[in-house]
């Protein structure tokens, strides 16, 4: 329900704040007072097209905010969730229009696209005017409206689910056929790649292990080279041990010489140390002699793995998974026909399930269509449309156009005169007739739409007397379940309202402004008397107005 409307600097309105409630609200006023400006302002907040001419002269921008309180399960709240917008008790739609016609849209103070604002607005409010019907005139809504009228939402949901399952089965079959076709094109390469990987037999952690082994073997080789070099240094020329022995023999020729004795002892100790070093070096060389083939084999294996990984643009660790994937593609190739046949069977079964569900829905819709046509027909005569014939047309669709809404197209048609072929709603009636036809439909379909607010713009155009009273009575019935706003020139309609606003135009300081007054009982009687009598209000008109108001239960 629309609970508040705030308008700033729109055409002749400088500042207007309206509080709204449930039931039927009538907007009256003389022609040109600005009632259409109010509707244009509301349309802006609902995502209608913006124009530079909507900004009041002298203002820098126009701003309109509409505050709604939709039920917890309303589609508007699902839209908020889908777009990650804050969902609060109150839902505020706001539009800001610049002097160049450009505009910005906001939902609960979050910037959004105008298209999203429009989607939200369409789920909340429906405006029916003489030449601007958009809700019921849109054939795309007729199937869901008929389903809601007939209580067929469960059957319709089953059809949507069956259609989704059928489409998924068809996609699975098509994907499998495409995969098999691609596998066949690559069969020779696949077999070569799998054979190469089978020969290589890569392991997930093998690269790291081989790299550690390679570094270890390279370290052992360097160690052996260092040991051999040390041994060679000891043996270079005559060798350190030989030199020490020669030096000792030279000193021993001196005989018993106390001064030389320490030198001989040192030379003897050095000979022992060198001999021990040579023994240790030989032992180490013998124990750690590197295996040149082991290093070569490790490097060959490592480089082979890395080369294959580069060729397939994966890491070495991913080679086992690559092999499994290629083998799976080979298995799909080998089992392709069998798998495709199974998927084709599943797709056929899903199609049959959808067809069965769609046929059940179509049969139920035919019954609901007859009931809807009869219900609308009862509403037409009191609205001076007794010659009109309302038809709900169900057309069987070709299979390639079946969809989630079923296998038939639902369209509301009307023939305004006997002998006339039924045609789409918006193409066969005058503005006033179409407005009243929409009212009849709305009365019957009031509980079949998520919209919580209905706006009728001069639905009573061109009628009066009993027909206008019938229009007012039906608007009042609608207002029992929906919030209804009606712009009217009919006193019979205005008298049915639970609240009454008068729109007027005034000149202040050389500027013309549109204002709105909430009428109390006395002012309301006077306004309805003006609508009955014109500019000169008589006592008889006031009495007639009182009678109209007294007749409102």
């Amino acid at each position: 329900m629309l609970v508040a409307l705030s308008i700033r600097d729109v055409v002749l309105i400088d500042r207007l704040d309206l509080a709204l409630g449930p039931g039927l609200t009538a907007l009256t006023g003389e022609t040109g007072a600005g009632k259409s400006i109010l509707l244009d302002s509301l349309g802006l907040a609902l995502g209608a097209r913006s124009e530079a001419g909507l900004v009041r002269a002298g203002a820098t921008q126009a701003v309109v905010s509409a505050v709604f309180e939709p039920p917890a399960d309303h589609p508007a709240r699902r839209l908020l969730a889908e777009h990650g917008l804050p969902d609060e008790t109150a839902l505020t739609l706001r539009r800001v229009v610049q002097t160049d016609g450009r505009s910005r849209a906001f939902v609960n103070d979050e910037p959004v696209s105008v298209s999203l604002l429009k989607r939200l607005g369409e789920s909340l409010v429906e405006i029916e005017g003489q030449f601007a019907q958009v809700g019921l005139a849109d054939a795309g809504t007729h199937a869901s409206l008929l389903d809601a009228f007939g209580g067929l939402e469960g059957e319709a949901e089953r059809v949507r689910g069956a259609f989704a399952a059928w489409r998924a089965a068809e996609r699975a079959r098509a994907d499998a056929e495409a995969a098999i076709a691609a596998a066949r094109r690559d069969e020779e390469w696949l077999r070569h790649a799998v054979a190469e990987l089978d020969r290589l037999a890569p392991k997930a952690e093998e690269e790291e292990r081989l790299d550690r082994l390679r570094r270890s073997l390279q370290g052992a080789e360097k160690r052996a080279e260092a040991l051999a070099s040390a041994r060679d240094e000891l043996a270079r020329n005559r060798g350190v041990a030989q030199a020490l022995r020669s030096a000792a023999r030279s000193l021993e020729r001196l005989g018993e010489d106390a001064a030389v004795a320490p030198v001989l002892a040192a030379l003897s100790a050095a000979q022992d140390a060198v001999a021990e070093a040579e023994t240790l070096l030989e032992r180490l060389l013998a124990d750690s002699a590197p295996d040149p083939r082991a290093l070569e084999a490790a490097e060959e294996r490592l480089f082979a793995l890395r080369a294959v990984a580069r060729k397939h643009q994966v890491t070495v660790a991913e080679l086992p998974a690559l092999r499994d994937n290629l083998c799976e593609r080979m298995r799909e190739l080998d089992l392709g026909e069998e798998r495709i046949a199974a998927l084709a069977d599943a797709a056929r079964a899903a199609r049959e399930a959808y067809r069965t569900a769609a046929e059940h829905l179509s049969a139920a819709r035919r019954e609901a269509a007859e009931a809807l046509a009869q219900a609308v027909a009862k509403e037409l005569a009191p609205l001076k449309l007794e010659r009109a014939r309302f038809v709900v047309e169900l057309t069987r669709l070709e299979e390639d156009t079946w969809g989630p809404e079923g296998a038939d197209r639902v369209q509301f048609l009307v023939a305004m005169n006997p002998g006339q072929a039924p045609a789409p709603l918006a193409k066969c009636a005058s503005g006033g007739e179409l407005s009243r036809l929409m009212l009849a439909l709305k009365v019957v379909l009031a509980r079949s739409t998520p919209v919580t607010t209905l706006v009728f713009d001069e639905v009573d155009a061109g009628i009066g007397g009993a027909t206008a009273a019938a229009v007012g009575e039906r608007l009042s019935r609608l207002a029992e379940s929906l919030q209804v706003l009606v712009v009217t020139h009919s006193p019979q309609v205005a008298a049915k309202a639970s609240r009454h606003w008068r729109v007027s135009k005034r000149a202040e300081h050389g500027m013309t402004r549109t204002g709105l007054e909430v009428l109390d009982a006395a002012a309301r009687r006077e306004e309805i008397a003006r609508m009955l009598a014109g500019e000169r209000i008589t006592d008889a008109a006031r009495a007639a107005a009182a009678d109209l108001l007294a007749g409102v239960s």
Side-chain angles (χ1 to χ4, degrees), residues 385-428:
L385 295 172
E386 63 278 353
R387 296 164 62 86
R389 181 167 60 94
F390 177 76
V391 177
V392 181
E393 180 184 72
L394 273 71
T395 305
R396 183 71 176 183
L397 298 173
E398 297 295 330
E399 182 170 339
D400 60 353
T401 57
W402 289 354
E405 300 304 317
D408 40 39
R409 181 178 64 249
V410 179
Q411 189 171 17
F412 297 164
L413 307 175
V414 67
M416 298 307 298
N417 298 290
Q420 184 179 29
L425 301 181
K427 295 183 178 180
C428 61

Side-chain angles (χ1 to χ4, degrees), residues 48 80 109 124 168 394 420 517 530 532 552:
L80 295 179
D109 291 327
L124 293 162
L394 273 71
Q420 184 179 29
E517 179 185 1
R530 180 198 65 76
L532 286 166
V552 179

Side-chain angles (χ1 to χ4, degrees), residues 4-8 10 15-18 41 45 63-67:
L5 181 65
S6 172
I7 305 172
R8 298 289 185 274
V10 177
R15 183 184 184 90
L16 189 60
D17 293 296
L18 303 176
S41 299
V63 183
V64 183
S65 298
V67 182

Side-chain angles (χ1 to χ4, degrees), residues 57-80:
T60 59
Q61 63 182 22
V63 183
V64 183
S65 298
V67 182
F68 297 87
E69 290 183 353
D73 59 348
H74 194 274
R77 298 200 183 276
R78 291 196 292 273
L79 270 176
L80 295 179

Side-chain angles (χ1 to χ4, degrees), residues 1 8 74 79 112 195 220 240 274 317 324 341 400 454 502 519:
M1 184 178 70
R8 298 289 185 274
H74 194 274
L79 270 176
V112 299
V240 175
V274 169
D324 293 343
D400 60 353
L454 290 175
R502 180 171 58 207
L519 303 182

Side-chain angles (χ1 to χ4, degrees), residues 146-182:
L146 177 61
D147 293 342
F149 172 79
L152 307 178
E153 294 95 333
E155 287 88 338
E157 185 59 35
R158 281 191 287 275
V159 168
R160 282 190 286 272
F163 183 78
W166 179 25
R167 293 295 91 192
E170 289 290 355
R171 284 194 299 272
R173 178 192 57 77
D175 290 347
E177 288 179 345
I180 293 300

Side-chain angles (χ1 to χ4, degrees), residues 107-129:
V107 173
N108 288 345
D109 291 327
E110 294 287 336
V112 299
S113 66
V114 175
S115 62
L116 176 57
L117 190 75
K118 186 175 182 180
R119 289 179 65 191
L120 284 165
E122 288 173 347
S123 73
L124 293 162
V125 178
E126 192 169 305
I127 299 177
E128 306 289 355

Side-chain angles (χ1 to χ4, degrees), residues 91-113:
L91 171 57
T92 302
L93 309 186
R94 180 161 56 93
R95 188 84 170 276
V96 179
V97 182
Q98 308 297 329
T99 53
D100 59 3
R102 290 183 297 177
S103 71
R104 291 173 293 153
F106 302 85
V107 173
N108 288 345
D109 291 327
E110 294 287 336
V112 299
S113 66

